[in-house]
Amino acid sequence: MSPSRASCAVLLSALLAVPAFAQPKPADGALVGPSGMTLYTFDKDTAGSGKSACNGGCATNWPPFMAADADKPSGDFTVLTRDDGKKQWAAKGWPLYYWAKDSKPGDKTGDGVNGTWKTAKP
């Protein structure tokens, strides 16, 4: 990866990790964040455990869909506390993530990565 492309990936990762202040919403058969970017689930997480298995380098490539302290869960959407103490949205108990390589709303390039990442469904 070229230095400028690596810089863009790091910047995108940082921007996607900014608190969302909104619940996920359905769009085109997937769950998306407020910017319309696709959300994903990770098979190594355990639904309903209240924990994320994607931390450190994993969270660089798969930025968590962050929740603000004031965000209130409802329906299928809950908020969990990550290892670093920050809040993350979950759907049906599954923590939600963005994929750093999606470049625009509607991209779903993270679906099936390593056989463990899936597009989050409404």
Side-chain angles (χ1 to χ4, degrees):
M1 184 180 294
S2 70
S4 62
R5 188 170 178 160
S7 298
C8 288
V10 169
L11 178 60
L12 176 63
S13 217
L15 289 173
L16 293 175
V18 170
F21 303 106
Q23 287 186 359
K25 60 186 178 189
D28 194 27
L31 288 177
V32 300
S35 64
M37 299 298 284
T38 303
L39 295 167
Y40 298 89
T41 58
F42 185 37
D43 285 349
K44 293 185 179 181
D45 285 328
T46 301
S49 71
K51 294 299 238 172
S52 167
C54 181
N55 295 286
C58 176
T60 299
N61 291 321
W62 298 94
F65 178 46
M66 304 304 289
D69 288 336
D71 284 345
K72 301 291 182 213
S74 68
D76 288 335
F77 302 110
T78 55
V79 175
L80 59 92
T81 302
R82 296 182 50 77
D83 289 352
D84 62 7
K86 294 179 181 173
K87 306 290 184 184
Q88 179 179 359
W89 281 106
K92 299 177 186 170
W94 291 96
L96 296 171
Y97 308 88
Y98 293 105
W99 171 227
K101 293 185 181 180
D102 280 350
S103 61
K104 64 186 180 308
D107 281 356
K108 295 178 184 164
T109 65
D111 192 46
V113 170
N114 295 328
T116 57
W117 291 94
K118 295 180 178 54
T119 301
K121 303 288 183 190

